[in-house]
Amino acid sequence: MIKIDGKQVAAKVLEEAKTAISELKAQGLTPGLAVVLIGEDPASKVYVNSKVKKCAELGLHSEKIVLPSDASQQDVLDVVKRLNEDAQIHGILVQSPPPPQIDEDAIVRAIDPRKDVDGFHPENVAKLALEDPTGYVPCTPAGCMRLLKDTGIETSGAEAVVIGRSMIVGKPMALLLMGKEGNATVTVAHSRTKDLAEVCRRADIIIAAIGKAEFVTADMVKEGAVVIDVGINRVEDSSREKGYRLAGDVAYEEVAAKCSAITPVPGGVGPMTIAMLIQNTVKAAKQSI
Ligand code: NAD
């Protein structure tokens, strides 16, 4: 059984990015990422700070904009407009989820698609469906594809089951797997799927993006399958200092005993997301020339 090491693959992606950043800098162009945080959500704060820190480590220009939790839609749109016009910024990310008064879809649509390094703008969603390589692919599913590739897992002709149909993970994941890069036969399962266990047992590759701790159990997994666990869930655990532990969407121990390769949580898909964000920012800087 292979325990897929996301930290190691992410380090490789970042090393490639570092080389590309040096080359761009030699041409007088420093890639820049702007991260917008609205409010005080503790998990969002951690994500935003780790993105800014990673930029600094790699020599990228970064800007962190923090808006109060009562910021208006117009406040956020004004920031996005300024960043769209800022030549030093090649990637813009508005951390999700924003406070409830903010219409997130409208914010995403206001971002210049050429700077939409999250890949959520309708233009980039269309480019993904069209397999147009100038678009930006959402970071988490792009990271999952890279994990499969670097682990030497053959997706071509494989039966893949994606559990979850969100625009952030499930849907783009399915498009990547069924496209020319993946060439897999893809089933997308979701909350209305009948007999999910039976559907999952068909899979050579399972991608779990549900948001429910340890939901995928051994009886749902075929012997020798590959399991990519996207889930990040907090589970109460009084033995931990923080009072919780992180768990994926897969019951790791029992599924690992049955499959040929699996990603752990943490240390699997998580580190890939930020690495792919940096990769997208470098791509945006290159494409701005
Ligand atoms: P989401 O809530 O938007 O989507 C969850 C999906 O799961 C939905 O499409 C729903 O239909 C499906 N689902 C829910 N209950 C189900 C059931 N009983 N049977 C089958 N399908 C069911 O969540 P998301 O944004 O796609 O995130 C999914 C998980 O991935 C979360 O745990 C999230 O924290 C995690 N995540 C991790 C990263 C990362 O960097 N590793 C990035 C994004 C999301």
Side-chain angles (χ1 to χ4, degrees):
M1 196 275 297
I2 304 167
K3 183 174 177 180
I4 301 173
D5 187 345
K7 281 189 202 150
Q8 203 184 336
V9 182
K12 210 166 126 190
V13 172
L14 292 172
E15 207 46 54
E16 292 163 10
K18 217 169 162 181
T19 308
I21 292 162
S22 309
E23 285 167 10
L24 286 168
K25 280 184 159 178
Q27 295 173 48
L29 180 70
T30 303
L33 175 71
V35 188
V36 183
L37 173 68
I38 315 155
E40 297 283 328
D41 181 62
S44 294
K45 266 188 183 172
V46 172
Y47 290 141
V48 163
N49 289 337
S50 65
K51 284 164 189 168
V52 171
K53 195 171 146 227
K54 195 54 81 186
C55 286
E57 274 171 35
L58 294 165
L60 254 91
H61 167 67
S62 73
E63 194 179 332
K64 177 173 134 181
I65 297 115
V66 183
L67 294 174
S69 49
D70 63 353
S72 69
Q73 182 79 3
Q74 195 55 50
D75 293 337
V76 186
L77 288 172
D78 288 346
V79 168
V80 169
K81 184 168 183 290
R82 172 174 75 71
L83 294 169
N84 280 343
E85 288 163 3
D86 186 339
Q88 277 192 298
I89 296 297
H90 304 97
I92 303 170
L93 181 154
V94 179
Q95 186 62 46
S96 188
Q101 76 277 14
I102 302 298
D103 175 353
E104 194 173 10
D105 279 350
I107 301 297
V108 168
R109 282 170 166 76
I111 296 173
D112 182 334
R114 292 168 299 183
K115 297 191 178 189
D116 167 42
V117 285
D118 256 340
F120 298 157
H121 189 284
E123 192 171 310
N124 285 313
V125 176
K127 283 186 172 179
L128 173 58
L130 294 164
E131 301 194 57
D132 176 338
T134 65
Y136 298 96
V137 177
C139 303
T140 302
C144 293
M145 287 303 282
R146 180 69 194 254
L147 281 179
L148 291 169
K149 190 167 166 243
D150 279 36
T151 314
I153 291 155
E154 182 63 89
T155 55
S156 181
E159 284 274 350
V161 173
V162 178
I163 320 174
R165 57 179 165 186
S166 74
M167 291 307 295
I168 297 171
V169 191
K171 248 181 234 170
M173 189 74 239
L175 284 169
L176 288 168
L177 281 165
M178 79 171 77
K180 289 192 192 78
E181 197 190 326
N183 287 311
T185 303
V186 182
T187 303
V188 181
H190 46 77
S191 52
R192 303 288 177 93
T193 297
K194 280 185 190 154
D195 204 354
L196 181 66
E198 187 59 39
V199 172
C200 289
R201 279 193 291 269
R202 289 208 301 260
D204 302 310
I205 300 169
I206 293 179
I207 313 278
I210 312 152
K212 290 191 170 142
E214 294 160 354
F215 182 83
V216 176
T217 45
D219 62 301
M220 298 164 76
V221 179
K222 181 169 80 176
E223 197 79 44
V226 172
V227 179
I228 304 291
D229 188 353
V230 181
I232 303 178
N233 308 289
R234 285 184 180 192
V235 177
E236 255 184 63
D237 185 343
S238 54
S239 72
R240 305 284 173 110
E241 201 181 309
K242 289 179 179 164
Y244 67 86
R245 65 181 169 88
L246 289 184
D249 287 346
V250 176
Y252 183 82
E253 295 299 335
E254 60 178 75
V255 172
K258 216 173 165 188
C259 60
S260 61
I262 186 166
T263 58
V265 177
V269 176
M272 292 304 292
T273 298
I274 186 157
M276 302 317 276
L277 172 71
I278 301 288
Q279 194 185 72
N280 275 350
T281 305
V282 171
K283 178 177 169 180
K286 276 187 189 163
Q287 293 197 143
S288 74
I289 302 170

